[in-house]
Amino acid sequence: MITWADFEKVDMRVGTIVEAVPNQKAKKPAYRLTIDFGADIGIKTSSAQLTGLYAAIELIGRQVIAVVNFPPRQVAEVMSQVLVLGINTPDGVALLGPDRTVADGERVF
């Protein structure tokens, strides 16, 4: 088990996808996402394997939850700065997000 203090170290925030394009060189099909996390965190990029359930155009304007305090990781030609959260299903990854619009950058706890 983890402690509450351990959980608090994971900084999960809400952001809005402003751009989604194929990450052409990724080993598995993925999109390069540009996500707006508001004024305090700003714009971040992520490579996310979402092609099974989502067309790129469907992702624009969608709010997602992402971990924003992992170290950046190179995924093919994309420097993935945040980890977008989802649920692995038989058809692909289903995104996690708020059930109503909230301010970008709001913390999940």
Side-chain angles (χ1 to χ4, degrees), residues 13 15-16 21 29 41 45-46 56 58 63 78 83 86-87 96 102:
R13 302 289 179 127
T16 299
V21 296
I41 296 171
T45 59
S46 184
E58 292 177 275
Q63 286 196 305
V78 175
L83 175 65
I87 302 162
L96 294 183
V102 300

Side-chain angles (χ1 to χ4, degrees), residues 55-70:
I57 194 72
E58 292 177 275
L59 295 170
I60 308 301
R62 184 182 186 103
Q63 286 196 305
V64 295
I65 297 171
V67 177
V68 299
N69 65 335
F70 280 146

Side-chain angles (χ1 to χ4, degrees), residues 6-74:
D6 292 331
F7 176 73
E8 287 180 318
K9 292 176 187 176
V10 181
D11 191 358
M12 294 178 283
R13 302 289 179 127
V14 175
T16 299
I17 298 172
V18 295
E19 182 181 49
V21 296
N23 183 356
Q24 299 285 0
K25 303 236 175 166
K27 290 179 185 177
K28 295 181 181 178
Y31 294 123
R32 177 182 52 81
L33 304 177
T34 304
I35 307 168
D36 184 354
F37 289 97
D40 290 342
I41 296 171
I43 303 290
K44 300 290 181 183
T45 59
S46 184
S47 181
Q49 296 174 3
L50 304 173
T51 60
L53 293 178
Y54 304 97
I57 194 72
E58 292 177 275
L59 295 170
I60 308 301
R62 184 182 186 103
Q63 286 196 305
V64 295
I65 297 171
V67 177
V68 299
N69 65 335
F70 280 146
R73 181 175 183 206
Q74 191 75 39

